[in-house]
Amino acid sequence: FSFLGGCSGSQGAIVAAGLAGNTGAFSVATTATVSFGFGTIFKIRLAKRNIQEIDVRHHELWLELGETIDTTLNAVRIGAEWERQAALNVDRSVQLLEQQKMRFQMGIGSVRETLESLQRLLSSRMDLVQARTNVAGHRLTLKRATLEGKFLRMLIEMRVD
């Protein structure tokens, strides 16, 4: 009887003549109210549907989080390789600049070649800084994603079925 919203009323009364303003021999008075809560059925269905939608969204969030972590781990690996290559380029540029300085001092090289070597060194250092910045950003994204995963796990543990 989940559709019954409530039921109330008196059991009725028999009143003898002359009592409570009754002019007849006997009087029977009965009142009853029955209300059917048909809306309750729909509320229950809606609540169940909302729970299903939350479960689906929860699953989607886990998939999105997993995809974010996979993508970010790959980006960290690639970024670390770029950082390694940039560091090697800086070392090569330092060596090249030293060679150009020596050539200039010996009178074999020109100022222009030395300045170009210095420009390559500065460019290599900027590439290294950019690579380190990218890796740091990806690591922060990875940290945030793992914290979101921990938060989602906490929500699951707190969930009441």
Side-chain angles (χ1 to χ4, degrees):
F1 289 48
S2 64
F3 59 88
L4 290 177
C7 182
S8 64
S10 66
Q11 297 295 323
I14 299 177
V15 181
L19 295 178
N22 187 11
T23 56
F26 288 101
S27 174
V28 177
T30 303
T31 59
T33 304
V34 177
S35 61
F36 293 91
F38 289 110
T40 305
I41 295 171
F42 299 114
K43 288 179 186 176
I44 291 170
R45 286 182 184 164
L46 182 62
K48 286 180 180 179
R49 187 176 304 133
N50 287 342
I51 289 171
Q52 290 172 343
E53 289 175 4
I54 288 170
D55 286 342
V56 168
R57 183 62 185 139
H58 172 258
H59 183 70
E60 289 172 349
L61 284 173
W62 272 111
L63 292 176
E64 290 173 13
L65 186 61
E67 187 177 321
T68 299
I69 289 173
D70 287 345
T71 303
T72 305
L73 276 173
N74 192 37
V76 167
R77 284 186 206 109
I78 291 170
E81 179 59 28
W82 285 353
E83 183 179 356
R84 190 180 70 76
Q85 289 295 327
L88 288 174
N89 287 341
V90 168
D91 291 342
R92 288 184 199 128
S93 296
V94 167
Q95 291 172 358
L96 182 61
L97 179 61
E98 291 302 319
Q99 289 174 357
Q100 288 299 331
K101 283 182 186 177
M102 287 176 53
R103 286 176 49 112
F104 178 73
Q105 290 172 351
M106 292 175 19
I108 302 172
S110 67
V111 173
R112 183 174 154 241
E113 291 171 336
T114 306
L115 290 176
E116 287 174 353
S117 297
L118 180 61
Q119 178 62 34
R120 278 191 216 110
L121 174 61
L122 293 175
S123 178
S124 297
R125 285 186 176 165
M126 289 300 298
D127 291 343
L128 179 59
V129 168
Q130 184 63 47
R132 287 180 177 167
T133 302
N134 289 342
V135 170
H138 293 310
R139 286 184 178 150
L140 284 173
T141 301
L142 186 60
K143 183 69 174 172
R144 189 192 84 224
T146 55
L147 287 175
E148 286 176 3
K150 289 178 184 178
F151 180 70
L152 283 174
R153 262 186 250 114
M154 279 186 351
L155 289 177
I156 291 170
E157 291 170 1
M158 293 174 26
R159 181 177 170 204
V160 178
D161 288 322

